[in-house]
Structures are given as C-alpha cells and as structure tokens.
Amino acid sequence: MGLPGMTSGGAAGAMASTPAMAVWSKTCLVLKRELGDATFGSWLGQAALRESGDEVCVVAATGVARDWIRHNAWRRIGELWAQNDPMGRRLDLKSRMEVEAASMGARAPIAANAPVAPTPMAGASSGAATAAARVPQVFEVEADVAPVAARQGRLQGLQERYSFDTFVSGPANEFAFAVARRVASWADGHFNPVVFHGPYGFGKTHLLNALAWEALRTGGGKRVVYLSAERFTSTFVKALQDKQTAAFKDELRNADLLLIDDVHFVAGKTQTQEELFHTLIALVEDGRRVVLTADRSPNELSEMEPRLRSHLQAGLVCGIEPADRTLRLGILERKLHTLAQQGGFHPAARGEVLQFLADRFTDSVRELEGALNTLVARVGGDIARLTLDEAQAILRPHLSVNERKVTVDMIQKTVAEHYALKQADLISERRARAVARPRQVAMWLAKQITTRSLPDIGRRFGGRDHTTVLHAVRRIESLKAEDPVIARDVDVLLRKLRG
C-alpha cells in the first residue's frame, strides 16, 4: 500500500515541488545512467523521498530492497546528494514499513520514481538481508467501528484480521484494491455491480472482508450485509422450507451494500440463481450497491443462468492476477511482522529464506503465508537465524507432493518449449547465449523444485560437473534481481511446472 503524496517517477523531475525533491530527481537520473535501467528499476524504481522538517529520508519499497540499496548504492547516493543539496542535509534510508510504523497516519509528502517491481538481493549472505521492519497498521474493530456495527460484522462472519491495512497491494491487485476502497467509502460514480474474480488464494475474501469493515466504519448506520454464496443458498433453501421467503428477501433487499463471496457456488442451482438474479436487479435499480467475488470472470461461468451472468457483467468486472515476486515478498514481510507482534520476537528473517518461500509458493497467498506460519511455529523467535537448508528441511513434507510430480526431464521439455529450443539443445555442448541461458534457467528450476542433488542434475544435463550447476543456480539468482525478463520467465515457468 502506498504512502500519501507519492507521485509518478517518470515525471519525477517535472513534479519536483521542493528543493529536496529536485535534488533527488537529479540523483536518480545519474543512478539510472550508471546502474542501467534494469538494476535501477529493480531496486530504486519504487524508492521515494520523504521530507519531515529538516529530515530527509529515502524510502525503499521493501526491507530487502532497502538492504540492497545500503550495500550496493548508498555510498554513491550519498556522494550525489552531497554534490547537489545546497543545504547539506543528512540523508537517511528506511523501508516503507519502517516509515509507516513511525508515521502512524501523519505522513509527509513523498516524491517517487517510476514504479518498477523491486526484487530481493541475489546471493544474499546468511545474515545480510532481513525482512523489513514495518509494523502493519493492525485493524482494531472496536476502535475503528462503532460497537453495534462491529457486532453486526462478527455476526455475519467477517474476519477482523482481513482489513485494508493488512492487505498488501501490488501490480497484480492494485486496481481491485483501489475499486474496493472507493466502494467502501460510499463514493459516488461507482459501477454496479462490482465483481472481483481470480483463482483460490488470491485475496478475494480478504478484499471483500476489508471492504465490509470499512463500509461499516464509514457508512453512518447504513446496512451492510455480507455472506458467502453457500450461506445465501442454504438460507434461501431453509426459507423455502419454512415458508419465510418474504423475510429472506426483505433482509437482503433492504441492504445498502450487499456483498456475496464465491458467487460461482450458485452455478447450476436453478432456484437459487433465480432468487439471486431478482435480488441483484432490485438492489441495482434502487441505487443500492452490490459487490461479489468469483473464481472466474462471469463470462466463464458457463453453468450459470445466462440472465444472471449477463447482469454480473453489466457493472465492473475486476480481475485479481497472481501475485508477482515483489508482492509475494511484501506479503511475507507483513505476515512476519504480524507473527512477531503476536509472539514477541524481532521480525527478521534471512533474505535467502524469504526468497525461497516467494519462489516456491507462487500459486496461493494462503499457501505462502502457511509456509511462513510453519517455520515460525517450529522455530519461533529463532526465525532470524534459520538457514535456507533448515527451512527447506522443515517444509519438505509440504513440498514432497509437488516434488514427486516434477522431474528434470519435464523441466527440460518445458524450458525448451518456452525458449523455442529442442530439449537436446539443453543437454548439448552448445555455448551460445541463446542456449546457455535457458540451460541455466532449467538447472535453477531443477534445484528449486526437485529433490535431485547438484551432481545428479549435472549428469542429466549432458554429464556436467556439479560446479557448473552451482554456477548456473547462482547466476540465475543474480539475474532475477537485475533482469526483469529473466524474473518473468522464471515465474512463468514455475507456474507451468506446478500446473
């Protein structure tokens, strides 16, 4: 989630409204030229400048990005800042989490550079990279929502841990996040209905809960009704049996905001779909708001009655994409801080451990957070000292199912297809870059998602030595941080291989 006052980076120079921001724009132009577009974008693309009185601070997007900047670019940033700042002010460096924790809502304007997804430090030493130290703004329902509304939310099954302040946004979900916040503020000019869609574990339920809590807080007594599609169905069926359908309809159609989670559940249920259709029509025609979630876009819900499907498509259909690597790292940092608050330990973890989790658990935010939960449950406050090998050993039972499915042969075929090569090319002695780089990617994947040893992987790539495989693994780790194309290729290939 961004801090107030952030401006677009491409226009950093044009939008520099203070002397400090002008100095920062000049500094960024030099750094971009010296570091190259890819490296600058990965680490400094989302960094921002924050002014508070005489204090000036560079705010990195994540804790891992902050650590990379400190180890690789901070001295040069200091030189450039000293050359251009006529006031000679001291420049500080913090992560966005640290700034938000200190600000507590009273935030100063920030000038930002072009938003490019930062990635963690490649090849970080065992203790070098740590999780960022931002304290998430924990959503206290009793403090932020009137007691009556809070009780109403709990009775409807809203989960207090799902709030806007605990939702980590990024390119994959930022549009959905912005739409949800606008609906929750009861702003005019909304689309109706709004449908958020995406596969299981992408944050739809979190977003809908957050929207409900915020709408309760800001609604001034307006009726907010939240329920799952399964509960909608079961309650409707019971109302039919008890001849109480009129009461059921009144309960929903008097809502100022109706939120239904997993609406795809009603597909194929004729009477339930009929009732949902008429409820939707009644609310929309009366100017009341409806927000729903589904696991697919409405036009893909082939088992749903065409009239209902058509009305779901009539408002705003908003997809939530898979979390990219940067977003997954941000989610891990936020989750680690929450666990640290609950457990009373320092929220730090080795960069290589967080990177492993972000690369390994790509299909579901729930699985990603679950893996971190498992590590913290096993080692508690010692999470900061946990090595990559130890983390992999703890999580091996959770990985074994997928590991058995993916073989080196499958990896080679998938990588060859992705790069328009033949599988034989990856095993051959050819050293042309067009072959060598995909071969290194395939070796990295084999190390990540199979149980094969380095010597065994080397043998399956034309009898290569284990040191060649180790070099390939380290090279791809480095390139993922520097080259957005490699990072995207690796992410796509991981998803393909894991089905």
Side-chain angles (χ1 to χ4, degrees):
M1 290 171 285
L3 293 169
M6 295 191 76
T7 59
S8 172
M15 301 181 71
S17 58
T18 69
M21 292 177 184
V23 174
W24 178 239
S25 295
K26 292 179 182 178
T27 301
C28 288
L29 288 173
V30 176
L31 288 170
K32 192 171 185 179
R33 185 169 62 250
E34 293 180 351
L35 295 172
D37 289 351
T39 301
F40 178 87
S42 294
W43 301 109
L44 285 153
Q46 286 187 340
L49 191 74
R50 181 179 189 273
E51 293 183 77
S52 179
D54 293 332
E55 297 180 1
V56 187
C57 180
V58 175
V59 182
T62 67
V64 192
R66 173 203 59 202
D67 292 339
W68 187 94
I69 293 170
R70 179 172 288 132
H71 286 92
N72 296 278
W74 192 238
R75 180 178 297 179
R76 181 57 174 154
I77 289 173
E79 292 172 352
L80 294 170
W81 181 265
Q83 291 171 12
N84 292 289
D85 182 25
M87 300 176 64
R89 287 169 293 187
R90 177 181 175 274
L91 192 62
D92 199 4
L93 174 65
K94 295 180 180 178
S95 72
R96 187 174 301 183
M97 285 184 173
E98 291 172 311
V99 172
E100 289 183 352
S103 299
M104 295 299 290
R107 300 180 176 111
I110 290 182
N113 297 315
V116 180
T119 49
M121 190 184 334
S125 61
S126 60
T130 62
R134 175 178 66 162
V135 179
Q137 300 170 27
V138 179
F139 187 69
E140 297 291 349
V141 172
E142 292 293 356
D144 290 346
V145 182
V148 172
R151 285 195 297 274
Q152 179 189 351
R154 294 192 185 99
L155 287 171
Q156 295 184 71
L158 291 176
Q159 300 185 55
E160 294 174 39
R161 63 193 176 98
Y162 289 156
S163 72
F164 283 139
D165 289 321
T166 60
F167 188 87
V168 181
S169 65
N173 60 24
E174 61 189 356
F175 179 62
F177 180 67
V179 169
R181 296 211 73 147
R182 182 166 179 79
V183 174
S185 69
W186 303 93
D188 292 331
H190 62 282
F191 294 93
N192 206 13
V194 173
V195 179
F196 297 115
H197 70 89
Y200 170 84
F202 280 23
K204 301 185 302 297
T205 296
H206 188 150
L207 200 61
L208 205 62
N209 272 254
L211 197 165
W213 282 123
E214 183 69 8
L216 283 168
R217 187 181 72 83
T218 61
K222 292 183 178 178
R223 290 196 71 241
V224 177
V225 176
Y226 167 91
L227 70 168
S228 68
E230 183 177 7
R231 185 178 170 196
F232 178 97
T233 301
S234 62
T235 306
F236 174 62
V237 170
K238 190 173 189 307
L240 285 174
Q241 294 171 343
D242 296 343
K243 297 184 175 10
Q244 296 291 325
T245 55
F248 174 82
K249 292 177 181 180
D250 288 343
E251 176 69 18
L252 297 185
R253 298 181 192 185
N254 286 326
D256 295 291
L257 172 61
L258 174 64
L259 305 113
I260 300 180
D261 201 10
D262 293 332
V263 71
H264 53 271
F265 181 82
V266 307
K269 300 174 176 64
T270 304
Q271 285 186 292
T272 303
Q273 289 185 89
E274 183 76 12
E275 180 57 33
L276 179 58
F277 171 77
H278 289 295
T279 297
L280 180 61
I281 294 298
L283 288 169
V284 171
E285 288 183 350
D286 201 27
R288 300 169 190 265
R289 307 180 183 203
V290 182
V291 183
L292 312 100
T293 70
D295 63 354
R296 287 155 287 163
S297 176
N299 63 0
E300 296 175 345
L301 297 173
S302 56
E303 295 182 6
M304 186 169 281
E305 204 272 331
R307 287 190 308 166
L308 177 56
R309 189 168 66 238
S310 175
H311 276 80
L312 292 179
Q313 293 175 272
L316 176 62
V317 178
C318 187
I320 300 177
E321 301 297 326
D324 62 15
R325 194 170 191 256
T326 301
L327 182 54
R328 294 196 297 271
L329 282 164
I331 290 168
L332 287 170
E333 291 177 350
R334 185 261 298 161
K335 182 65 175 179
L336 180 61
H337 219 296
T338 300
L339 293 172
Q341 285 182 314
Q342 295 169 350
F345 59 85
H346 184 63
R350 298 190 182 200
E352 60 189 7
V353 171
L354 295 183
Q355 292 172 44
F356 164 71
L357 294 178
D359 287 332
R360 183 60 186 80
F361 296 93
T362 60
D363 296 331
S364 165
V365 171
R366 289 192 182 96
E367 292 178 5
L368 180 67
E369 292 186 332
L372 183 60
N373 286 339
T374 300
L375 295 181
V376 172
R378 286 287 296 273
V379 303
D382 289 332
I383 185 73
R385 293 193 290 272
L386 190 70
T387 67
L388 176 58
D389 287 343
E390 291 169 340
Q392 289 175 327
I394 291 172
L395 293 172
R396 187 159 290 126
H398 302 270
L399 305 175
S400 58
V401 173
N402 282 338
E403 285 173 346
R404 285 195 297 269
K405 292 181 180 177
V406 181
T407 66
V408 174
D409 182 67
M410 290 169 58
I411 290 171
Q412 291 173 344
K413 289 178 180 177
T414 304
V415 171
E417 180 184 358
H418 181 80
Y419 287 103
L421 298 170
K422 297 177 181 178
Q423 185 177 358
D425 292 330
L426 302 180
I427 304 171
S428 72
E429 293 298 320
R430 292 179 59 190
R431 296 186 179 183
R433 187 185 186 90
V435 175
R437 187 70 76 232
R439 183 186 295 128
Q440 289 178 326
V441 168
M443 289 179 176
W444 182 89
L445 290 165
K447 176 65 172 64
Q448 292 293 315
I449 58 177
T450 76
T451 57
R452 299 294 180 184
S453 65
L454 293 178
D456 195 10
I457 293 172
R459 284 192 293 272
R460 292 164 189 270
F461 280 86
R464 286 174 165 80
D465 188 80
H466 77 279
T467 57
T468 302
V469 181
L470 183 59
H471 170 74
V473 170
R474 289 175 175 171
R475 183 60 181 146
I476 296 304
E477 280 293 338
S478 176
L479 286 173
K480 281 195 304 171
E482 301 169 2
D483 188 337
V485 175
I486 289 292
R488 186 168 59 250
D489 284 349
V490 166
D491 217 30
V492 168
L493 287 165
L494 282 169
R495 293 184 187 283
K496 284 183 178 178
L497 288 164
R498 289 170 180 157

